[in-house]
Amino acid sequence: MHSGKYQIRWPVILFVTLVTVLFFVWESGHLKIETDILESMPQHDPVLADARQIIEHLPIQDRIFLDLEQTTADKDKLVRAANFIIAELKQSGLFTKVGISDDAQHLAGLVEHVLDGLPILLSEQELREKIEPLLQPEKIRDTLYETRRSLEQLEGIGRADMMTRDPLGFSGIVFKKLSSLMPDNNAQFYKGQLISADGRHALIIAHIDGIGTDTAKGAQIDRLLKIIGTKLYAHSDFSDADYLITSGGAYRAALDNESIAKRDTRLAIMLTTIGIALLLIFTFPRPLIGLLALLPSMVGAISALFICSLLFKSVSMVAVGFGGAIMAFTVDLGLTYLLFLDRPQETYGRRVARQLWAAELLSVLTTFGAFLLLLISDFKILAEIGVFAALGVFFALLFVHFIFPRIFPYMPPAKRRTNPWLMKGVKMFAAPAAWKVTAVILFAAVMMFFAKPVFNVDISAMNSLQPETIAAEKKMQSVWGDFSGKCYVFLEAGDMRELQNKNDGLLNILSADGQKEMFPDAFLPAVLFPSDERSKNNFEAWRTFWNPQRLKKLKNDFNSAAVEFGFVPAAFAPFWKMIESPKPRTSEIPENYFAMLGIAKSHAGYTQLSLLNTGPNYDSEKFYAKLSAENLAKIFDVDLFNKRLGDFLKSIFIEIALIVSVGIVLVVLLFHLDLLLSLAVLAPISFALVATLGTLKLIGHPLDIPSIMLWIVIMGMGIDYAIYYVCMYQRYPDDNHPALDTIKLAMFMAAATTLIGFGVLALARHSLLRSIGLTSLFGIIYSFIGTFFLLPTLMHKIFSSVDYPTGPVAPASREHFRRVVLRYRHLPGYPRLFARFKMKLDPMFAELHKYVQNPRRIIDIGCGYGIPATWLLEIYPQAKVFGLDPDEERILIASRVVGERGSVQAGRAPDLPPVEGSVDHVLMLDMFHLISDEEAKLVLRRIYEKLEDGGTLLIRATVPAERRIPWKRWIEVLRLMFARIPQRFRAREEISALITGAGFKAEVFDADVAQVEEKWFVGRKT
């Protein structure tokens, strides 16, 4: 008798804890977590590969943009306020560069460069199409008139030198392209600051010292801007005007995502904790035991990461996070085990493990096999997810079935029962009913019309922004335009000459007739700094264009108009000198312009990132194809990137669905080896797939990236419910059996805890978390409904009583074999397969009827799965069998196949099954080597007493031959070694002596098949 106290083996707990801690310490120091999702993307798609490289160089990622708005249009005061903010930003130490005064100076230098270098900056086509129209007499008069008028206004102050060098505005053709460097075409530099056209906004750009998406740095910037705003408001120099600082940049999106995600996660954790605590209180007789369900998942995850740290140099953050979500449903393994352990009657850890082994093994096999199949994908993240998840569920299974039984070898009866109202509700919900099956079929039929998946794989859609951030972005765009741009081109070169040549080639493509509408006024560094060859060609075109006739006519028309508007013709001498320039200038790019032009030095030479303003006819696919054919540059286009990423993820979704589906179907079929049961297991998850896709379509929620990646989790979770139900029904085909009630409760708990954990995320503000919540909510609900609405009725139909064939049958005939196999229908796959092959391969069954003739009452000691007993029952309809076996799993199967024709009890020799009265036959088949001599003597005496006069004892035993050990005995020897059972194979004379010593008349018969070590020993009670 056990005491009523827990028998906790603390050394086991301490050992497991120590090993887990060591694993965790190891992986913390050796496992690198890769945070760049693009790093894990396949490199065979050139668009995604190029985008990955270009995104790393995007300047907007590490900058903040401040719009300083002033209520008045006083530019001088606005500049002073901007300078005050810049000083505060510089003093903070958070930025490497603040302000755009350097860019303003560089821009002034570029103006000088353009005015001096027009002969090498304008192509032959531009001279013909854009310069020639400016030379018409009417156009010259209009231009000089505007020049005279502007000189009389304030706007002309400081522009006289430029007007004398370029009175007809030739440079405007270049400056129009150069304007793409400005945030807004109407903005202007004023006293070192960039001011909007209305004079009420100033733009301040600061370069963050670090990564723009670093939320810790972002929080510091956010606090700093609030302090600066307060100081600006309190400053006496700015008291007569109101100021508003609006910030923008990647740091705000990172802060919003983190703050929203943290708030949603805290809410989810709080609600989940409350919900799970209430479930444990109402479900477990001892609620604290339920908390131990988390242990297998925790140990499994840490152990899996330890193995991954040995297999991979780095593991993607997505794989770790996604694998962690997968580990959530391994809680079901521990939860189910502990529900069976915590009962109102005493329970034993090993027995519970054996009871649940088939269901939990299949549950893990489906997950393990499906995830390992992801290794055939060329997506690195999928391979990492597959390995991590497969290892995680494997280690969780090992913990549940090998560690839990050692921690809790015995559990005393609980003092209270599971909540009766909860149990009653679960049983009612899971009760078989035809209307439930009809409802599921009709609902699935309707959802089929909407189940076509709609994908939305825009990465930006995964961001969640505060309303204030969205308003700030809109304001920035309305005042300064779009900072992010649409199309980036990326060039790499070993030296400056190669870079300029590539710029020329790219500019030729953009300037071609077919591309003009796609990129009007496209700007590249080649516009200002052409290569030597382009400079030479442009200069030759310039000299050709200004032939003597055209130059003479221009001078006459220009001088006439100049005199008309009061200009002295000699004042424009620099203009004529430029036109008649005798030789071209060199145009190597000065280093001080690198940052403005997107050029950077690299270890391999130079890189250049340029933003292209696109026109209405822009076609990203055509442009990419053109650049790829020329092999000049790489491209990052947001729309093209999202489209390719969408196509890729859709193919991945289909690949995952096919791989996992095929894996699950194969594992289920191979495990059950029963088509009907396999289809029953797959029915709920098939319903859940159709219903979830249809519902998401109806509510307008497309399959985004989180939904795609989470779907495999839903499949893994959903099929577990069906596996548990079907496997437990195989053991106990009775809707009212206590074990079946417990498994229903376990399924309810598993679904409820998952729904609480994931479902609360459906209320989250963060789009990624909300998507995870919605997908998991519908997937788990429909899986649970499919299991409880479909399977009870299907199992009832599948396991309905069968009219077994009756009438005489020839021993060892095909019909005899068929009848015995029929008794094993729908039982677990291993005993069913074992019975089939045992009868096919073992010569015992062709000879058994010779030694057992017309039995009425048979005792079968060591009956196993009841195969010999069932074989005899089919030959002798009047016989009954009373079996005995020490293995509870074998007892369960033998009881099912014997049915009402007898009974099977737990026990082992020298005990006999409790049978009233005497029997006429006792069988000891292939088990005599498992008992000692003392046990053999005792059991044989008891058998002699139990047999009626004339009764028969039949023993089949292995008698080792002197020849080489046959394979069958090798297998048995290995089995005994693993079971730590001594080998007691006896000689023929030893067995005969034991039989005769008990009072029997013994006879020995060889098997009909030659070279067989098994012999028949027949004892007659006289």
Side-chain angles (χ1 to χ4, degrees):
M1 254 330 256
H2 291 283
S3 65
K5 296 181 179 180
Y6 296 89
Q7 290 186 344
I8 301 177
R9 293 182 177 174
W10 290 106
V12 177
I13 295 178
L14 292 176
F15 176 76
V16 171
T17 303
L18 178 61
V19 172
T20 304
V21 169
L22 290 176
F23 283 177
F24 183 76
V25 171
W26 167 271
E27 64 204 29
S28 299
H30 294 80
L31 182 63
K32 178 186 176 184
I33 304 298
E34 179 59 61
T35 58
D36 183 8
I37 185 175
L38 296 177
E39 180 71 25
S40 303
M41 284 190 174
Q43 301 300 310
H44 65 267
D45 189 309
V47 173
L48 298 181
D50 292 353
R52 172 178 167 270
Q53 185 176 9
I54 294 174
I55 287 174
E56 294 175 352
H57 292 81
L58 287 180
I60 195 173
Q61 298 295 325
D62 60 352
R63 297 180 185 179
I64 70 165
F65 302 88
L66 302 180
D67 172 65
L68 175 62
E69 183 180 3
Q70 183 181 254
T71 53
T72 65
D74 188 337
K75 293 182 180 180
D76 293 316
K77 184 169 290 186
L78 182 61
V79 168
R80 291 198 301 273
N83 289 333
F84 173 81
I85 294 175
I86 290 172
E88 293 288 329
L89 293 175
K90 288 180 177 178
Q91 188 178 356
S92 70
L94 297 175
F95 308 95
T96 58
K97 178 184 175 182
V98 181
I100 55 176
S101 57
D102 292 343
D103 294 336
Q105 294 175 4
H106 294 156
L107 201 58
L110 286 178
V111 171
E112 287 292 321
H113 172 77
V114 171
L115 292 175
D116 292 339
L118 282 174
I120 64 170
L121 300 182
L122 297 175
S123 65
E124 179 183 1
Q125 184 179 6
E126 289 173 323
L127 290 170
R128 184 175 64 253
E129 295 179 357
K130 297 184 178 181
I131 296 297
E132 189 170 349
L134 299 178
L135 306 181
Q136 301 301 318
E138 297 79 6
K139 185 64 176 177
I140 294 173
R141 292 184 74 259
D142 292 343
T143 303
L144 290 180
Y145 171 76
E146 289 297 327
T147 300
R148 177 58 185 264
R149 187 190 63 79
S150 66
L151 288 173
E152 295 172 349
Q153 306 294 327
L154 290 176
E155 63 184 285
I157 298 176
R159 296 184 59 193
D161 180 65
M162 180 177 176
M163 292 178 179
T164 60
R165 297 166 67 182
D166 183 22
L168 297 182
F170 292 171
S171 60
I173 298 170
V174 179
F175 290 145
K176 185 176 181 182
K177 299 177 182 179
L178 188 61
S179 64
S180 64
L181 295 177
M182 303 282 284
D184 181 49
N185 289 338
N186 295 321
Q188 55 184 304
F189 283 104
Y190 182 76
K191 295 185 178 181
Q193 299 298 335
L194 190 61
I195 308 298
S196 63
D198 61 3
R200 297 176 61 246
H201 296 265
L203 179 65
I204 302 171
I205 302 176
H207 299 244
I208 299 172
D209 183 13
I211 303 173
T213 53
D214 182 354
T215 53
K217 185 67 66 71
Q220 290 179 288
I221 294 172
D222 194 53
R223 288 193 297 269
L224 175 65
L225 293 179
K226 291 178 181 178
I227 294 172
I228 293 175
T230 303
K231 288 183 176 180
L232 188 65
Y233 177 79
H235 203 289
S236 58
D237 291 348
F238 310 112
S239 58
D240 56 343
D242 291 330
Y243 295 90
L244 177 63
I245 301 175
T246 303
S247 64
Y251 89 97
R252 287 199 66 165
L255 274 180
D256 286 354
N257 276 285
E258 182 183 62
S259 61
I260 294 174
K262 280 184 176 180
R263 182 173 59 247
D264 290 341
T265 303
R266 283 195 296 267
L267 177 63
I269 291 174
M270 181 184 69
L271 293 177
T272 301
T273 302
I274 294 173
I276 292 178
L278 290 174
L279 278 173
L280 293 177
I281 291 172
F282 284 110
T283 305
F284 277 88
R286 289 166 282 212
L288 290 179
I289 291 180
L291 295 176
L292 297 176
L294 300 174
L295 278 179
S297 296
M298 181 186 68
V299 174
I302 293 175
S303 302
L305 275 180
F306 171 73
I307 300 299
C308 287
S309 70
L310 302 177
L311 297 176
F312 304 108
K313 292 182 179 179
S314 65
V315 177
S316 170
M317 179 179 62
V318 175
V320 174
F322 183 64
I326 294 169
M327 297 307 299
F329 68 80
T330 58
V331 173
D332 300 355
L333 300 174
L335 193 65
T336 306
Y337 179 91
L338 294 172
L339 275 173
F340 274 80
L341 190 68
D342 188 22
R343 305 289 292 277
Q345 63 271 15
E346 64 179 19
T347 54
Y348 297 86
R350 292 183 183 275
R351 291 182 184 176
V352 171
R354 289 292 302 275
Q355 193 174 14
L356 295 173
W357 174 250
E360 297 203 329
L361 176 63
L362 179 57
S363 171
V364 168
L365 282 177
T366 54
T367 305
F368 188 86
F371 279 113
L372 279 188
L373 283 175
L374 293 181
L375 288 173
I376 68 176
S377 171
D378 61 351
F379 193 9
K380 181 183 175 184
I381 287 181
L382 289 184
E384 293 173 354
I385 288 173
V387 172
F388 179 55
L391 289 174
V393 296
F394 173 71
F395 286 124
L397 178 72
L398 293 182
F399 189 94
V400 169
H401 286 272
F402 294 96
I403 305 299
F404 265 161
R406 286 168 172 77
I407 294 176
F408 296 108
Y410 165 76
M411 183 66 66
K415 293 182 179 180
R416 68 184 184 97
R417 294 180 175 272
T418 301
N419 187 288
W421 295 101
L422 178 62
M423 192 71 250
K424 183 179 179 181
V426 171
K427 291 178 66 175
M428 288 181 60
F429 190 76
W435 69 266
K436 294 180 180 179
V437 177
T438 304
V440 166
I441 294 174
L442 291 177
F443 186 78
V446 173
M447 288 295 104
M448 282 288 290
F449 292 98
F450 305 97
K452 183 179 180 181
V454 176
F455 297 90
N456 175 26
V457 291
D458 186 355
I459 291 182
S460 62
M462 295 171 60
N463 287 323
S464 290
L465 303 179
Q466 301 278 13
E468 298 82 0
T469 302
I470 297 174
E473 285 187 354
K474 290 181 178 179
K475 180 179 179 181
M476 282 285 187
Q477 290 184 6
S478 65
V479 177
W480 302 106
D482 188 0
F483 292 101
S484 61
K486 182 176 180 62
C487 178
Y488 287 91
V489 288
F490 184 73
L491 287 79
E492 295 176 290
D495 54 42
M496 184 55 66
R497 181 182 296 275
E498 182 184 357
L499 183 66
Q500 287 185 282
N501 288 335
K502 285 191 173 184
N503 265 287
D504 286 350
L506 182 57
L507 189 60
N508 289 335
I509 293 176
L510 300 180
S511 303
D513 292 338
Q515 307 289 333
K516 283 184 178 179
E517 295 300 320
M518 294 175 63
F519 302 99
D521 300 316
F523 175 80
L524 289 173
V527 171
L528 299 175
F529 302 99
S531 66
D532 292 341
E533 182 179 357
R534 188 180 183 89
S535 297
K536 180 180 178 183
N537 293 337
N538 286 350
F539 186 75
E540 290 178 357
W542 178 273
R543 295 294 301 270
T544 303
F545 181 79
W546 294 111
N547 56 58
Q549 295 81 7
R550 176 174 282 141
L551 186 58
K552 180 179 179 180
K553 184 176 186 306
L554 174 62
K555 286 185 176 181
N556 291 333
D557 294 338
F558 182 86
N559 290 336
S560 174
V563 171
E564 178 182 351
F565 293 108
F567 291 107
V568 178
F572 298 100
F575 173 61
W576 303 111
K577 182 180 178 181
M578 180 266 296
I579 289 180
E580 298 176 285
S581 178
K583 60 181 180 178
R585 296 175 49 190
T586 58
S587 58
E588 185 171 339
I589 306 175
E591 191 169 341
N592 58 319
Y593 293 132
F594 278 9
M596 178 179 290
L597 299 177
I599 298 173
K601 287 185 177 180
S602 68
H603 65 279
Y606 294 89
T607 63
Q608 174 189 313
L609 182 65
S610 299
L611 171 64
L612 300 179
N613 292 325
T614 56
N617 295 333
Y618 171 66
D619 188 321
S620 58
E621 292 280 3
K622 290 183 179 178
F623 182 54
Y624 176 77
K626 182 70 175 176
L627 284 188
S628 298
E630 298 291 339
N631 196 28
L632 279 175
K634 298 177 180 180
I635 177 178
F636 173 62
D637 178 277
V638 176
D639 294 336
L640 179 61
F641 174 74
N642 283 333
K643 182 178 182 299
R644 286 295 180 90
L645 183 60
D647 293 341
F648 168 73
L649 288 177
K650 281 191 285 187
S651 67
I652 286 295
F653 172 77
I654 296 171
E655 186 177 346
I656 289 176
L658 289 176
I659 290 174
V660 174
S661 299
V662 170
I664 287 176
V665 169
L666 287 177
V667 171
V668 170
L669 283 172
L670 290 175
F671 186 87
H672 283 297
L673 297 173
D674 188 308
L675 183 60
L676 285 178
L677 290 180
S678 299
L679 292 176
V681 169
L682 298 172
I685 193 62
S686 302
F687 164 74
L689 170 64
V690 172
T692 301
L693 290 176
T695 304
L696 290 176
K697 179 73 174 293
L698 286 174
I699 66 173
H701 183 81
L703 281 178
D704 52 12
I705 294 175
S707 300
I708 293 172
M709 303 306 287
L710 189 67
W711 180 247
I712 194 170
V713 181
I714 305 304
M715 293 182 70
M717 290 181 181
I719 200 166
D720 281 356
Y721 306 146
I723 288 171
Y724 277 116
Y725 192 93
V726 170
C727 288
M728 196 56 62
Y729 203 95
Q730 277 185 300
R731 296 173 60 89
Y732 311 107
D734 179 3
D735 291 318
N736 297 316
H737 195 282
L740 206 58
D741 290 343
T742 304
I743 205 66
K744 293 174 186 176
L745 183 62
M747 292 162 55
F748 167 77
M749 280 290 293
T753 52
T754 305
L755 286 176
I756 292 172
F758 282 109
V760 294
L761 295 180
L763 305 175
R765 290 179 56 191
H766 196 285
S767 58
L768 186 147
L769 296 178
R770 185 171 59 254
S771 177
I772 291 174
L774 282 174
T775 306
S776 58
L777 180 69
F778 292 126
I780 296 303
I781 285 178
Y782 287 132
S783 297
F784 184 72
I785 291 175
T787 300
F788 273 17
F789 274 35
L790 289 174
L791 289 186
T793 302
L794 291 179
M795 291 298 98
H796 203 267
K797 294 286 185 182
I798 292 173
F799 283 86
S800 58
S801 59
V802 175
D803 294 329
Y804 292 106
T806 57
V809 62
S813 65
R814 184 184 297 272
E815 175 63 16
H816 187 191
F817 177 82
R818 187 185 72 83
R819 291 187 183 186
V820 176
V821 168
L822 185 61
R823 288 183 174 272
Y824 288 85
R825 60 187 285 274
H826 305 317
L827 288 179
Y830 175 75
R832 190 170 70 253
L833 200 64
F834 180 82
R836 180 181 291 270
F837 280 96
K838 179 76 171 173
M839 291 185 291
K840 283 283 188 182
L841 301 177
D842 195 332
M844 172 178 68
F845 294 93
E847 305 172 24
L848 184 59
H849 66 282
K850 298 179 182 179
Y851 306 105
V852 181
Q853 304 253 340
N854 301 313
R856 291 173 287 104
R857 292 160 61 83
I858 306 170
I859 287 179
D860 188 357
I861 301 176
C863 64
Y865 292 122
I867 305 170
T870 310
W871 182 269
L872 292 172
L873 291 178
E874 289 299 331
I875 303 175
Y876 305 108
Q878 78 286 357
K880 285 195 173 185
V881 172
F882 304 95
L884 185 76
D885 199 274
D887 189 294
E888 293 183 355
E889 295 302 306
R890 295 183 177 185
I891 293 171
L892 182 71
I893 301 300
S895 298
R896 291 280 301 281
V897 297
V898 170
E900 298 179 356
R901 299 281 302 277
S903 64
V904 182
Q905 303 294 326
R908 66 184 305 275
D911 295 331
L912 300 180
V915 180
E916 292 184 7
S918 60
V919 297
D920 51 52
H921 284 78
V922 175
L923 309 180
M924 299 180 74
L925 305 178
D926 297 338
M927 53 75 58
F928 207 69
H929 62 284
L930 301 177
I931 58 178
S932 66
D933 288 347
E934 291 74 17
E935 290 172 329
K937 292 175 182 177
L938 179 57
V939 73
L940 289 174
R941 288 199 302 269
R942 291 177 176 176
I943 292 172
Y944 188 85
E945 295 171 359
K946 194 67 177 176
L947 277 171
E948 64 184 26
D949 292 341
T952 300
L953 165 66
L954 180 63
I955 298 175
R956 192 178 85 143
T958 299
V959 177
E962 294 181 358
R963 60 185 173 81
R964 183 180 177 183
I965 299 177
W967 64 270
K968 289 175 64 177
R969 183 145 57 94
W970 265 117
I971 294 175
E972 182 64 10
V973 168
L974 290 174
R975 188 183 73 84
L976 294 175
M977 289 175 57
F978 283 115
R980 297 181 180 179
I981 299 174
Q983 298 181 33
R984 300 188 182 97
F985 295 107
R986 298 178 175 91
R988 174 175 178 162
E989 293 76 13
E990 291 181 74
I991 301 175
S992 296
L994 289 170
I995 296 174
T996 55
F1000 290 97
K1001 179 183 177 182
E1003 293 181 274
V1004 183
F1005 300 92
D1006 292 331
D1008 293 346
V1009 179
Q1011 305 296 321
V1012 173
E1013 290 188 319
E1014 287 76 24
K1015 298 186 182 299
W1016 296 96
F1017 296 84
V1018 181
R1020 307 285 184 186
K1021 182 177 178 180
T1022 57

